[in-house]
Amino acid sequence: MSTTTEAQPQPGQEPSGSLEEAAQAGRPDTGAGSAAPRRWGLAIMLGSLTAIGPFSLDMYLPALPEMTAELGGTKLLGQLSLTFCMLGLAAGQLLAGPLSDARGRKKPLLAALAIYAAASLLCAFSGSIAMLLACRLIQGLSGAAGIVIARAVVRDLYSGKEMTRFFSQLMLINGAAPILAPIFGGQLLRFVSWRGTFVFLAVLGVILLTAAWLALPETLAPQRRAKGGLRQTIGSFGFFLRDRSFMGFVLTMSLVSGAMFAYISGSSFVLQQLYGVSPSQYSFIFALNGAGIILASQLTGRLAMRMDTERLFRSGVLIALCGGAALLATVLLGGGLAPVMASLFIVVSSVGIVGTASTSLSMQNAGSAAGSASALIGMLQFAAGMAFSALSGLGGEGSAIPLAVVIAAAEVLALLAMATLLGRRRTR
C-alpha cells in the first residue's frame, strides 16, 4: 500500500518504537501476577463486543412470527429483518475497520455503540415492517464496529504466541454467545414481547458503551494512524487481498466456518425430523457442540505456548476434513444418530482450533492496518456463512445427504485453499 509520509507504516510493518507506543497507549502487562485480572477483564470486554452479532441475530427469533403479524408484514418480510441485520454486520466491518486505522480505535467504537443502542431502541418502537428493516440494517452496520475493532485492539496489544493465546480467551466468550443468545432470548420472551428483546439489546449497547468509555484505552497511537485519509486507508484492502499468506489463512478459516454455518442452518430439521431428536435433545446437542468450540479454542491457546501456531492451524483443518468426510460417509451408509452426532461434534469443534490459530496468524503482519485486516476477516466469514447456509437448504427436506455434502464440500475447499495459497512450507 502506498503512503504519503515516511512515518506511515505499511500493513505488516511495525514502526520504530511501536512497543513503547503500545505501552503508553495502555498495553497490558503480559507477565504474571496482577496482570491476569486485567487481561481477563480486557478479554471479557472485547469478547462481549464480538458477541454483538449472535445476540443481535438470535435473541428475537422465537418471536419472529408474532412480530411479523403485529407489524402487518409477510413471512418473507419478517425473515428479511434477519437478512438486513446480517448484511449490516458484514458491510459495517468494511467501514469500521479502515475508519479505526485512520481515526483510532476508541472514538469510532464509542460512536458506533451509541448508534447501536439508539437503533435497537428504535427497533423496539417500530410501527411498521419498513421501519423495522431500516433500523435492523443500521443496527447491523453499527454493531459490526465492535466485532472488527475488538480484533484490531488485540493486534495492537499483542503479537506472536501471546496473541494466539488471547484470541483463545476471546473464543471462550464468543463461542458461548451463539449458545446463550437463543436460550436467553427464549427465557426473556416468557416475560416480555418481541419489543422487549430489542430494549434489552439497547441496554446491552449502553453497558458496552459505558465499559468501553471508562475502561478501554486507546491502543493505536496518533503517530501510527493512517495519514493518507480514509480513502487511502481503504486502499489497504488491496494489500491484504494480494497477500497469499493472509488470504490463505482467512479463506481457509472462512470455509471451515462456512461448514459450521451450514450445520446451524440445517441441523435442526435433519436431527429432529429425520433422526427423531426432540426439541430439548436438540438444544442439548447444540449446546454440546458449542462447548466443543470453546474447549478446542482453549486447548489451542494452551498448546500455542509450546507448539508452532501454523502447525496447530493445519492440524485443525485436517480434523475438520475428517469430520466432514465421516459425516458424509455415515449419511450415505445409513448410519444412526450416534455417528452423525460424533461427526458433527468434530466439524463444529474444529472451528475452535482453526478460528483461533488462523485469526492470530492472519493478523500477525497487519501492523497499524489491523482494522482493515480485521474487516476483511469478518466480511469473508459472514459471506461464507450466508452462502453455505443457503446451499444447505437447496436439497429438499427428505434426506440428510444435501447437508452432509455441503459440509464435506466446505472442508475439502478449505483444504484446497490452504494447499494452494499456503503450500507445504511454513509461512514466515
Side-chain angles (χ1 to χ4, degrees), residues 73-335:
T74 64
K75 179 181 178 181
L76 176 60
L77 289 174
Q79 292 174 335
L80 282 178
S81 67
L82 179 65
T83 304
F84 272 48
C85 183
M86 188 175 293
L87 289 174
L89 287 168
Q93 296 190 58
L94 296 178
L95 298 174
L99 183 62
S100 72
D101 289 338
R103 302 288 185 263
R105 312 297 186 206
K106 188 167 184 175
K107 288 182 179 179
L109 176 62
L110 295 179
L113 288 174
I115 295 172
Y116 176 85
S120 299
L121 196 60
L122 287 175
C123 285
F125 291 98
S126 294
S128 67
I129 196 71
M131 180 180 176
L132 178 69
L133 293 178
C135 293
R136 285 288 282 170
L137 181 62
I138 297 172
Q139 189 186 37
L141 287 169
S142 54
I147 302 172
V148 67
I149 292 177
R151 281 192 297 258
V153 168
V154 176
R155 177 58 188 90
D156 291 339
L157 299 178
Y158 297 101
S159 62
K161 295 181 180 297
E162 282 294 333
M163 183 161 62
T164 305
R165 183 184 175 192
F166 195 90
F167 274 123
S168 74
Q169 292 175 328
L170 290 191
M171 285 291 291
L172 180 63
I173 301 169
N174 199 26
I179 304 171
L180 296 178
I183 296 174
F184 183 80
Q187 294 301 312
L188 184 63
L189 286 169
R190 295 174 58 188
F191 306 99
V192 299
S193 69
W194 64 270
R195 297 182 186 275
T197 63
F198 288 108
V199 172
F200 171 83
L201 290 174
V203 173
L204 177 63
V206 171
I207 292 174
L208 291 175
L209 171 63
T210 304
W213 178 42
L214 295 177
L216 184 67
E218 174 55 69
T219 58
L220 187 64
Q223 58 268 38
R224 295 188 59 210
R225 296 173 191 172
K227 301 298 192 298
L230 185 58
R231 181 177 180 181
Q232 183 172 332
T233 306
I234 295 176
S236 62
F237 286 146
F239 177 92
F240 292 114
L241 290 172
R242 294 189 300 270
D243 187 327
R244 288 175 62 90
S245 176
F246 177 86
M247 291 304 297
F249 293 126
V250 175
L251 282 178
T252 304
M253 170 179 57
S254 298
L255 290 164
V256 172
S257 298
M260 183 188 69
F261 276 99
Y263 150 78
I264 293 173
S265 176
S267 62
S268 176
F269 170 79
V270 168
L271 293 178
Q272 293 187 65
Q273 299 298 321
L274 300 182
Y275 288 92
V277 172
S278 68
S280 61
Q281 289 173 330
Y282 175 74
S283 298
F284 173 77
I285 294 172
F286 193 84
L288 181 65
N289 290 333
I293 297 180
I294 296 172
L295 293 174
S297 65
Q298 298 314 293
L299 179 62
T300 302
R302 290 182 177 275
L303 291 176
M305 306 307 293
R306 300 190 295 271
M307 294 176 58
D308 179 61
T309 303
E310 188 165 342
R311 179 175 296 178
L312 289 170
F313 164 75
R314 293 175 183 270
S315 299
V317 175
L318 293 176
I319 291 171
L321 180 64
C322 290
L327 176 64
L328 182 59
T330 299
V331 171
L332 290 175
L333 295 174

Side-chain angles (χ1 to χ4, degrees), residues 48-68:
S48 299
L49 290 172
T50 63
I52 283 180
F55 271 87
S56 299
L57 292 172
D58 297 340
M59 274 198 62
Y60 80 112
L61 290 181
L64 189 58
E66 173 197 349
M67 180 196 74
T68 305

